[in-house]
Short mmCIF file of all heavy atoms in Angstrom, two decimals:
data_model
loop_
_atom_site.label_atom_id
_atom_site.label_comp_id
_atom_site.label_asym_id
_atom_site.label_seq_id
_atom_site.Cartn_x
_atom_site.Cartn_y
_atom_site.Cartn_z
N SER A 26 10.01 96.99 108.31
CA SER A 26 8.77 97.74 108.50
C SER A 26 8.88 98.73 109.65
O SER A 26 8.20 99.76 109.67
CB SER A 26 7.60 96.79 108.74
OG SER A 26 7.86 95.96 109.86
N VAL A 27 9.76 98.42 110.62
CA VAL A 27 10.01 99.31 111.75
C VAL A 27 11.51 99.38 111.97
O VAL A 27 12.18 98.35 111.99
CB VAL A 27 9.31 98.80 113.03
CG1 VAL A 27 9.57 99.75 114.19
CG2 VAL A 27 7.82 98.66 112.81
N LEU A 33 19.08 110.08 112.68
CA LEU A 33 18.00 111.04 112.88
C LEU A 33 17.45 111.02 114.30
O LEU A 33 16.65 111.88 114.67
CB LEU A 33 16.85 110.72 111.91
CG LEU A 33 17.17 110.78 110.41
CD1 LEU A 33 15.96 110.33 109.61
CD2 LEU A 33 17.58 112.20 110.01
N MET A 35 15.30 108.83 115.52
CA MET A 35 13.88 108.79 115.18
C MET A 35 13.44 107.36 114.92
O MET A 35 14.17 106.58 114.32
CB MET A 35 13.64 109.65 113.92
CG MET A 35 12.22 109.71 113.42
SD MET A 35 12.15 110.59 111.82
CE MET A 35 12.76 112.21 112.28
N ASN A 57 -3.07 96.12 118.80
CA ASN A 57 -1.99 96.97 118.30
C ASN A 57 -0.76 96.92 119.20
O ASN A 57 0.38 96.98 118.73
CB ASN A 57 -2.48 98.41 118.13
CG ASN A 57 -3.39 98.58 116.94
OD1 ASN A 57 -3.23 97.89 115.92
ND2 ASN A 57 -4.37 99.47 117.04
N LYS A 81 29.99 102.72 127.17
CA LYS A 81 31.11 101.96 127.75
C LYS A 81 32.42 102.36 127.09
O LYS A 81 33.45 102.50 127.77
CB LYS A 81 30.86 100.46 127.59
CG LYS A 81 29.75 99.94 128.48
CD LYS A 81 29.25 98.58 128.05
CE LYS A 81 30.31 97.51 128.09
NZ LYS A 81 29.78 96.18 127.76
N VAL A 86 34.29 101.94 130.74
CA VAL A 86 33.70 101.07 131.76
C VAL A 86 33.29 99.76 131.09
O VAL A 86 33.05 99.70 129.89
CB VAL A 86 32.46 101.72 132.42
CG1 VAL A 86 32.85 102.96 133.18
CG2 VAL A 86 31.38 102.02 131.38
N ASN A 97 22.22 79.29 131.25
CA ASN A 97 22.07 78.00 131.92
C ASN A 97 20.68 77.81 132.54
O ASN A 97 20.31 76.70 132.91
CB ASN A 97 23.14 77.86 133.01
CG ASN A 97 24.54 77.80 132.42
OD1 ASN A 97 24.74 77.28 131.33
ND2 ASN A 97 25.50 78.37 133.14
N LEU A 124 11.78 88.47 123.74
CA LEU A 124 11.06 88.17 124.97
C LEU A 124 10.94 89.39 125.87
O LEU A 124 9.91 89.60 126.51
CB LEU A 124 11.75 87.02 125.72
CG LEU A 124 11.17 85.63 125.40
CD1 LEU A 124 11.49 85.22 123.97
CD2 LEU A 124 11.68 84.60 126.38
N ALA A 130 5.74 95.20 126.54
CA ALA A 130 4.49 95.53 125.85
C ALA A 130 3.29 95.18 126.72
O ALA A 130 2.30 95.93 126.76
CB ALA A 130 4.41 94.79 124.52
N ALA A 133 3.08 97.78 129.39
CA ALA A 133 2.66 99.05 128.81
C ALA A 133 1.16 99.06 128.53
O ALA A 133 0.49 100.08 128.72
CB ALA A 133 3.44 99.32 127.52
N ALA A 140 -4.60 104.37 132.28
CA ALA A 140 -4.62 105.80 131.93
C ALA A 140 -5.93 106.18 131.25
O ALA A 140 -6.48 107.25 131.50
CB ALA A 140 -3.43 106.12 131.04
N ALA A 155 -8.31 114.29 127.23
CA ALA A 155 -9.61 113.63 127.32
C ALA A 155 -10.29 113.58 125.96
O ALA A 155 -10.90 112.58 125.58
CB ALA A 155 -10.49 114.37 128.33
N VAL A 164 -12.10 104.89 124.63
CA VAL A 164 -12.91 104.65 125.82
C VAL A 164 -14.04 103.67 125.54
O VAL A 164 -14.73 103.22 126.46
CB VAL A 164 -13.49 105.98 126.35
CG1 VAL A 164 -12.39 106.90 126.80
CG2 VAL A 164 -14.35 106.65 125.29
N TYR A 185 -0.53 88.30 120.35
CA TYR A 185 0.92 88.17 120.41
C TYR A 185 1.37 86.75 120.08
O TYR A 185 2.30 86.55 119.29
CB TYR A 185 1.46 88.56 121.79
CG TYR A 185 2.97 88.50 121.80
CD1 TYR A 185 3.72 89.54 121.29
CD2 TYR A 185 3.64 87.37 122.26
CE1 TYR A 185 5.10 89.48 121.24
CE2 TYR A 185 5.01 87.29 122.22
CZ TYR A 185 5.74 88.35 121.71
OH TYR A 185 7.11 88.27 121.64
N ASP A 196 9.05 73.22 105.48
CA ASP A 196 9.77 72.04 105.93
C ASP A 196 10.07 72.19 107.41
O ASP A 196 10.83 73.06 107.81
CB ASP A 196 11.07 71.88 105.14
CG ASP A 196 11.80 70.58 105.48
OD1 ASP A 196 11.33 69.85 106.37
OD2 ASP A 196 12.84 70.32 104.86
N TYR A 199 13.54 72.61 108.80
CA TYR A 199 14.26 73.89 108.67
C TYR A 199 14.50 74.52 110.03
O TYR A 199 15.45 75.27 110.22
CB TYR A 199 13.46 74.84 107.78
CG TYR A 199 14.08 76.22 107.65
CD1 TYR A 199 15.30 76.40 107.00
CD2 TYR A 199 13.45 77.34 108.19
CE1 TYR A 199 15.87 77.65 106.89
CE2 TYR A 199 14.02 78.60 108.08
CZ TYR A 199 15.22 78.75 107.43
OH TYR A 199 15.78 80.00 107.32
N ALA A 200 13.63 74.19 110.99
CA ALA A 200 13.77 74.75 112.33
C ALA A 200 15.14 74.45 112.93
O ALA A 200 15.67 75.23 113.70
CB ALA A 200 12.67 74.23 113.24
N LYS A 209 18.38 83.44 113.93
CA LYS A 209 17.18 83.58 114.73
C LYS A 209 16.69 82.20 115.13
O LYS A 209 16.88 81.23 114.40
CB LYS A 209 16.08 84.32 113.97
CG LYS A 209 16.39 85.78 113.66
CD LYS A 209 15.21 86.43 112.95
CE LYS A 209 15.49 87.89 112.65
NZ LYS A 209 14.35 88.54 111.95
N LEU A 210 16.01 82.14 116.26
CA LEU A 210 15.45 80.87 116.70
C LEU A 210 14.17 80.55 115.94
O LEU A 210 13.48 81.46 115.47
CB LEU A 210 15.15 80.93 118.19
CG LEU A 210 16.37 80.93 119.11
CD1 LEU A 210 15.96 81.27 120.53
CD2 LEU A 210 17.06 79.59 119.07
N LEU A 228 -1.37 83.70 132.59
CA LEU A 228 -2.25 84.25 133.62
C LEU A 228 -3.47 84.92 133.00
O LEU A 228 -4.59 84.76 133.48
CB LEU A 228 -1.49 85.26 134.48
CG LEU A 228 -0.67 84.71 135.65
CD1 LEU A 228 0.15 85.82 136.30
CD2 LEU A 228 -1.58 84.06 136.68
N SER A 229 -3.24 85.67 131.92
CA SER A 229 -4.34 86.40 131.29
C SER A 229 -5.34 85.45 130.64
O SER A 229 -6.50 85.81 130.41
CB SER A 229 -3.79 87.37 130.23
OG SER A 229 -3.22 86.65 129.15
N THR A 237 8.59 80.04 136.25
CA THR A 237 9.62 80.63 135.41
C THR A 237 11.01 80.32 135.98
O THR A 237 11.19 80.27 137.20
CB THR A 237 9.43 82.14 135.28
OG1 THR A 237 10.46 82.68 134.43
CG2 THR A 237 9.49 82.83 136.64
#
Side-chain angles (χ1 to χ4, degrees):
S26 57
V27 180
L33 300 175
M35 179 187 299
N57 286 327
K81 289 164 61 176
V86 296
N97 294 327
L124 266 69
V164 296
Y185 184 81
D196 185 357
Y199 176 67
K209 294 182 179 180
L210 288 169
L228 275 173
S229 67
T237 181

